[in-house]
Every structure is written in structure tokens, then in C-alpha cells.
Amino acid sequence: MDVVLVAQIIVNGLVIGFTYILIALGLTMLFSIMGVFNFAHGELYMLGAFVTYLFWDQLGVNYFLTVLLSILIIALLNFLLERFIFRPLRDKPIHASFLASLGISMVISSVTLSVSYTH
């Protein structure tokens, strides 16, 4: 096996591992701070990647500016979700936030899927 191939496999494994760590830390922090199970967490990561792809590949924006814009857009979306959906459910039983996040997950997946099929 080639040394370059082994190095690339190691780097890919580290990148995927760190991505899983970031997702797990996000879920853990969200539940410990807010007491909310947010099952739309993965869809929000996917939406960030989708927005990055849209700005960079489809609109031709500079990559680093694209990443910054993607972070800002997803942060704004997360703020709006927390403010208008999860905050009113904070004092309710835990299954209310579970169902809300499951609904958000379905909406984000459906909208992203329909937008990706139109392009």
C-alpha cells in the first residue's frame, strides 16, 4: 500500500471522527443547558453544508466568505428555532420538545430534498 494512500486514509478518519465529536458535543451541550432533545441537529449540520455548497458552487462566492455566511445563516436559524419553538416548550414535558424537533427535522429534510431536485 502506498504511503500517500495510508496518510489520506488516516486524515479522512480523523476528519470524520472530529465531525462526530462535534455533533456529539453539540447534542450533549444542548441537552445539558436547555434540557431539550433536538433531533434536528443533524439536519442543521446538513443544511449548513447545503448552504455552503449553494453559495460556493452555484453562486460563485469566495469559499472563505461562503463558510462565514453559512455559519451566520445557520446560527440565525438556530436562534430563531430556539426563541420561537424550543423556549416556549421549556416548561412542558420532554416529549413536546422531542416532537417539535422531529417535526423540524422532517421539514428541513423535505425542503432541502425538494430544492435539490429542482436544481
Side-chain angles (χ1 to χ4, degrees), residues 50 106-119:
F50 190 76
M106 289 180 191
V107 167
I108 290 173
S109 295
S110 299
V111 168
T112 307
L113 194 61
S114 68
V115 168
S116 67
Y117 278 133
T118 60
H119 289 292

Side-chain angles (χ1 to χ4, degrees), residues 65-94:
L65 181 61
T66 295
V67 170
L68 181 65
L69 286 172
S70 177
I71 290 170
L72 292 175
I73 289 170
I74 300 303
L76 176 66
L77 177 63
N78 278 311
F79 173 76
L80 293 173
L81 288 174
E82 192 277 329
R83 180 72 172 107
F84 295 110
I85 294 176
F86 291 118
R87 189 177 291 180
L89 297 175
R90 186 173 285 175
D91 297 329
K92 306 281 191 255
I94 194 74

Side-chain angles (χ1 to χ4, degrees), residues 42-80:
E43 278 75 12
L44 290 167
Y45 274 97
M46 179 266 311
L47 193 60
F50 190 76
V51 168
T52 302
Y53 168 76
L54 181 72
F55 278 128
W56 183 55
D57 191 55
Q58 302 295 321
L59 301 177
V61 179
N62 180 4
Y63 180 73
F64 296 106
L65 181 61
T66 295
V67 170
L68 181 65
L69 286 172
S70 177
I71 290 170
L72 292 175
I73 289 170
I74 300 303
L76 176 66
L77 177 63
N78 278 311
F79 173 76
L80 293 173

